[in-house]
Amino acid sequence: METEFADAMEAFPVSRLAETEDPEKLLEGAQPFMELMSRYRCAMMEVETKLRVLDEEFSMTYDRNPFETIKSRLKRPVSIIGKMKRRGYPLTVEEIEKRLNDIAGIRVICSFLDDIYTLADMLAGQDDIRLLEKKDYIVSPKPNGYRSLHLILEVPIFLSHSKQYMKVEVQFRTIAMDFWASLDHKLKYKKDVEEPERIAAQLKECADIISSMDERMQQIRDQIETGKKMEE
């Protein structure tokens, strides 16, 4: 919390307040932003809980787990401010909540392709969740080869005197997709890379290979499960 407060003080638009050299006014300027971040953190907790409940039910019904790991992250204040400025939006708490969909993010890592869609449908289909947007970069990958299923959800959080809906971005990937995306992210920020076009082409080729592997692993699992059913 201390780190988050320091980030808020550094990034949030309190320059006019700072001129007053009044600590109380500085705190007043940061407090709404910190409260917003707290609500997003609560929304992530809600989604994580829902996913773990689905995982438990799935394991009882099908004798396996639909995902391997869950990773969550809250966008840093500096990143939030930078994104708002790049898009030319007013720098207020209200506009941040209205304009940005990826402040609260959860990444779900699955072993198989069909588990991604099964789990995403089960989550988005819950009656207290609102599906705002769905982007399927598995069926339609990005030009660089990036693959993932993205959902923008509105999730209710229950506070002491109210219920509020908060936006959470949930990304579903296979283990292979996550491995590729992680390395692509690291290489993207390397400086003074020679022949960047050749490197990009190689990464795209790796993404295609990984996609083929995911499909093949799915086929193998389907064959195994079909064989089990025939034995039964």
Side-chain angles (χ1 to χ4, degrees), residues 2-17:
E2 290 181 1
T3 302
E4 183 175 296
F5 178 74
D7 287 342
M9 289 290 92
E10 178 184 353
F12 205 65
V14 295
S15 56
R16 287 188 296 107
L17 296 175

Side-chain angles (χ1 to χ4, degrees), residues 35-52:
E35 290 175 356
L36 179 65
M37 293 299 100
S38 177
R39 295 201 300 274
Y40 278 118
R41 191 180 298 107
C42 291
M44 286 195 305
M45 292 165 58
E46 289 284 347
V47 174
E48 282 198 50
T49 298
K50 286 177 176 294
L51 286 166
R52 295 192 186 282

Side-chain angles (χ1 to χ4, degrees), residues 5 11 39 45 59 66 77-78 98 105 111 114 127 134-135 137 146 159 191 199 223:
F5 178 74
R39 295 201 300 274
M45 292 165 58
S59 67
V78 171
K98 176 183 177 182
S111 295
D114 68 347
D127 60 10
K134 179 179 180 179
K135 291 184 179 180
Y137 296 115
Y146 174 85
L159 306 174
K191 296 181 179 179
I199 298 297
Q223 292 173 15

